[in-house]
Amino acid sequence: MTPKRYVELNDGHHIPVLGFGTFAPEEVPKSMAMEATKIAIDAGFRHIDSAYFYQNEEEVGLAIRSKIADGTVKREDIFYTSKLSPTCHRPELVQPCLEQSLKKLQLDYVDLYLIHFPVSMKPGNDLCPMYENGKLVFDTVDLRDTWEAMEKCKDAGLAKSIGVSNFNRRQLEMILNKPGLKYKPVCNQVECHPYLNQSKLLDYCKSKDIVLVAYGALGTQRCKKWIEEDAPYLLEDPTLCAMAEKHKQTPALISLRYLLQRGIVTIAKSFNEKRIKENIKVFEFQLPAEDMAVLERLNKNYRYAMVHITSAHPNYPYSDEY
Ligand code: NAP
């Protein structure tokens, strides 16, 4: 099966199936996100993923606008995703948070706006508000009220499409069953790769016409703040490496291709020119069914980003099976 370059969302908009990730740990200069985004657009990426939380929207916006200014793309060629800060779940803070992103981006709208994480945190300038004892300062918000405010952002034309990220099935159902629901989430962006293939969540999302978007598709950036040091290296997996050799590809491309062939919109982050150009070549080969079956068996429900620091909140998403 050859994946199409775009899939239709349940609101009629189209999302490019391969996205470019722009998150990097704090110590990486934000200018690198700008340079990498320009290279990615030149290489052919049309879907750019960022978030308020990444604090790089000024630089990513500059990159997008410079590629519009030099004639490489038009605004409508780019599919840009931003995400709501967990500190802005209160309904009255949702649109202002999006407006702040748009101001930094110097764009009129985002193509997709996501509730970044279901755990609400205390409003304020601090992106990760902490008590002195190192515990997060949570907030209590009904995510259905947050969702209504997201719907208003769509109605105001500030976001073409709206969706969620890191929601489990129960949390998706809560939104879908909300009385007076105006728009369904178009997608759920979650960690997904051969070690965490999300087959149950994928089936559920497909049954509701919700696109599953994969992050961490290459085994994440192993950011010290979020990921255990002894986490397995996905791209060194012997099965993945053997399959890469067999197809004269790289383990990264095998992982990306595996996800795309399952109908998953897939994000790949790289700030390295060679690897950015490599990743777009995922459309140039196919995995036969028997290899897809081999990759399916690599699943061990291993989640890199457990975000344990949020586990005491009632909306912590990873206590449920999926
Ligand atoms: P990822 O896509 O899994 O990539 C991990 C690492 O793989 C990158 O740091 C990159 O390093 C390396 N890499 C890229 N291409 C490669 C290749 N061809 N061969 C070998 N290594 C390669 O990273 P991720 O940041 O975890 O996820 C991707 C994006 O998803 C993020 O940037 C962000 O936009 C989004 N995301 C969303 C959430 C959420 O909560 N919604 C959470 C995490 C991430 P180099 O840069 O050195 O190439």
Side-chain angles (χ1 to χ4, degrees):
M1 175 205 141
T2 304
K4 291 180 289 180
R5 296 279 182 124
Y6 289 80
V7 293
E8 188 172 346
L9 299 167
N10 65 33
D11 65 357
H13 290 293
H14 291 80
I15 185 170
V17 295
L18 183 67
F20 179 71
T22 65
F23 173 75
E26 274 156 17
E27 59 275 17
V28 177
K30 304 292 178 200
S31 58
M32 287 192 67
M34 176 166 67
E35 289 314 317
T37 303
K38 286 188 200 166
I39 294 167
I41 294 173
D42 280 335
F45 281 90
R46 293 294 177 262
H47 166 179
I48 316 285
D49 183 87
S50 186
Y52 185 87
F53 187 79
Y54 302 168
Q55 294 188 280
N56 64 9
E57 290 193 293
E58 233 174 276
E59 290 78 7
V60 173
L62 260 169
I64 293 172
R65 285 182 295 110
S66 87
K67 286 290 122 192
I68 295 172
D70 76 6
T72 308
V73 285
K74 299 192 186 73
R75 172 64 187 91
E76 56 270 31
D77 299 329
I78 295 291
F79 188 101
Y80 178 79
T81 301
S82 184
K83 310 185 192 90
L84 176 70
S85 169
T87 56
C88 294
H89 282 180
R90 295 186 187 183
E92 67 276 17
L93 300 180
V94 172
Q95 187 166 323
C97 184
L98 173 52
E99 283 167 348
Q100 279 190 58
S101 283
L102 289 169
K103 194 168 169 207
K104 288 185 193 159
L105 290 156
Q106 293 284 301
L107 296 178
D108 301 328
Y109 66 89
V110 298
D111 295 275
L112 178 60
Y113 200 48
L114 305 179
I115 298 182
H116 198 153
F117 200 73
V119 169
S120 313
M121 296 177 204
K122 187 186 121 208
N125 290 333
D126 203 344
L127 287 174
C128 266
M130 300 269 195
Y131 292 112
E132 273 175 15
N133 63 8
K135 292 211 164 136
L136 273 175
V137 190
F138 293 138
D139 198 10
T140 312
V141 183
D142 186 330
L143 290 171
R144 289 169 291 197
D145 296 336
T146 311
W147 186 253
E148 279 183 16
M150 296 284 286
E151 292 178 328
K152 288 187 182 133
C153 293
K154 180 171 159 78
D155 283 336
L158 302 179
K160 299 272 182 207
S161 298
I162 50 174
V164 297
S165 178
N166 298 300
F167 275 39
N168 62 31
R169 177 192 169 134
R170 194 167 41 83
Q171 292 166 329
L172 281 171
E173 270 175 349
M174 178 186 69
I175 302 291
L176 294 175
N177 295 333
K178 186 186 91 61
L181 180 74
K182 189 164 184 190
Y183 304 117
K184 279 170 42 159
V186 297
C187 74
N188 187 19
Q189 183 184 121
V190 294
E191 181 180 326
C192 185
H193 42 73
Y195 287 165
L196 178 70
N197 73 15
Q198 299 277 20
S199 58
K200 288 187 179 171
L201 190 60
L202 177 63
D203 285 348
Y204 176 73
C205 286
K206 282 186 176 171
S207 77
K208 300 292 177 192
D209 197 15
I210 292 170
V211 167
L212 194 135
V213 180
Y215 72 74
L218 303 172
T220 80
Q221 299 182 52
R222 311 179 65 84
C223 182
K224 282 197 194 89
K225 196 167 168 185
W226 307 106
I227 315 283
E228 305 284 337
E229 246 176 78
D230 59 356
Y233 284 86
L234 175 72
L235 299 184
E236 291 176 9
D237 181 274
T239 305
L240 214 54
C241 292
M243 201 170 291
E245 222 173 294
K246 175 177 154 191
H247 289 279
K248 300 197 169 36
Q249 302 294 339
T250 62
L253 283 172
I254 300 292
S255 186
L256 297 177
R257 183 75 203 185
Y258 162 68
L259 297 172
L260 289 176
Q261 283 188 207
R262 296 168 69 224
I264 295 171
V265 169
T266 303
I267 301 170
K269 176 265 172 186
S270 178
F271 283 4
N272 171 282
E273 181 161 4
K274 183 174 158 280
R275 290 190 283 276
I276 293 170
K277 290 178 175 165
E278 174 187 320
N279 293 342
I280 198 100
K281 294 195 172 148
V282 69
F283 295 109
E284 295 178 10
F285 72 104
Q286 283 191 52
L287 293 169
E290 60 270 24
D291 287 348
M292 289 294 289
V294 169
L295 293 171
E296 209 67 25
R297 291 197 285 276
L298 288 182
N299 182 53
K300 45 187 173 186
N301 294 323
Y302 182 81
R303 190 185 299 279
Y304 287 94
M306 288 297 292
V307 205
H308 289 297
I309 192 167
T310 64
S311 63
H313 192 282
N315 285 348
Y316 180 69
Y318 307 138
S319 305
D320 290 21
E321 185 201 349
Y322 71 99

